[in-house]
Amino acid sequence: MIDHSDQPDDKADTRTIADYIYQELHRDIVSGALIPGTKLRMEKFSRLYGVGMSPLREALVKLTGDALVRTEGQRGFWVSPISANEFEDTVGIRALIETEAVMRSIRLGDGAWEARVREAHAALAESAERLIEGDDDVALAAWERANRRFHDALASACASPWLMRIRQMLHRHAERYRAIVLPGRRIDPDTHDEHDAIAEAVLDRKSLRAGHLIRTHVQRTANCVREALQTREHGGDTAPAARCAKALNQGF
């Protein structure tokens, strides 16, 4: 589990502490550090994260809105489970939402948006080079942050706060499945070619091509996650799916 020693001090107000614990729990759930189905016992997690009951409950309620935590009346909170059926729903809707957000951005984006896309793409290329050279967990985490920023930039001119909010939620859920089902993943050096093609199509305002590339981008890794999930649910060996993941694009 992630180190939580950088918690806010006692002078921080309840809202700040609730925001802090929300971010920490969110990160631990998406990364798979908190296993799907885990009972989030208030006393235990209050001690673990070093916060009081009130901000912890507030954070958990907020996480239920993200569908990362579930609650059953007065029985408490659980980390949301994962399943092949939910994954299919998640990735299918995510492809639709992602494509719509980017195509709206292509139509509405101005020079500032284009600059954000170029900057994020350049940063992603740089992080990819470092990952190829180092191929360690630190470089991988940096690449994943750059990848998230690149996809955020592509959609950032869609002019719909709701579309962006839903898109970000779906992106986190997709990341969660990948982290849990395909641990120890690495990025194929050819992945950046796909990002190059997406950036070029977007900046050239080629909506149909950009939409096709983004759907393909999402589905390639989804295929590996799907195979691993099906194997997992039937109690089989996930090694073939893991090998598949290493050979495919990991941008998701």
Side-chain angles (χ1 to χ4, degrees), residues 84-211:
N85 287 340
E86 187 197 46
F87 175 72
E88 292 297 337
D89 192 25
T90 298
V91 76
I93 297 302
R94 190 209 157 186
L96 290 173
I97 292 293
E98 189 86 10
T99 302
E100 177 65 19
V102 173
M103 291 180 77
R104 286 193 184 193
S105 291
I106 290 172
R107 186 170 71 251
L108 301 173
D110 57 10
W113 168 72
E114 291 186 359
R116 288 196 300 274
V117 172
R118 288 193 176 92
E119 182 182 356
H121 180 238
L124 181 57
E126 183 178 343
S127 68
E129 288 297 323
R130 290 198 299 269
L131 182 59
I132 292 170
E133 294 171 2
D135 195 28
D136 57 24
D137 289 341
V138 173
L140 177 61
W143 184 90
E144 289 185 332
R145 288 192 298 272
N147 178 65
R148 189 179 305 124
R149 181 185 171 202
F150 173 65
H151 284 281
D152 287 347
L154 293 175
S156 63
C158 70
S160 171
W162 273 109
L163 188 58
M164 287 296 288
R165 190 175 299 124
I166 294 168
R167 178 199 158 273
Q168 288 170 356
M169 180 187 294
L170 290 166
H171 189 90
R172 297 299 184 269
H173 277 268
E175 283 187 328
R176 180 182 181 225
Y177 271 90
R178 188 183 66 180
I180 293 170
V181 179
L182 299 174
R185 60 203 180 281
R186 286 296 182 263
I187 310 303
D188 190 287
D190 294 334
T191 296
H192 192 61
D193 292 341
E194 192 168 293
H195 288 137
D196 285 344
I198 291 172
E200 181 180 1
V202 166
L203 293 170
D204 287 345
R205 310 280 177 152
K206 296 179 179 178
S207 297
L208 293 179
R209 175 165 172 73

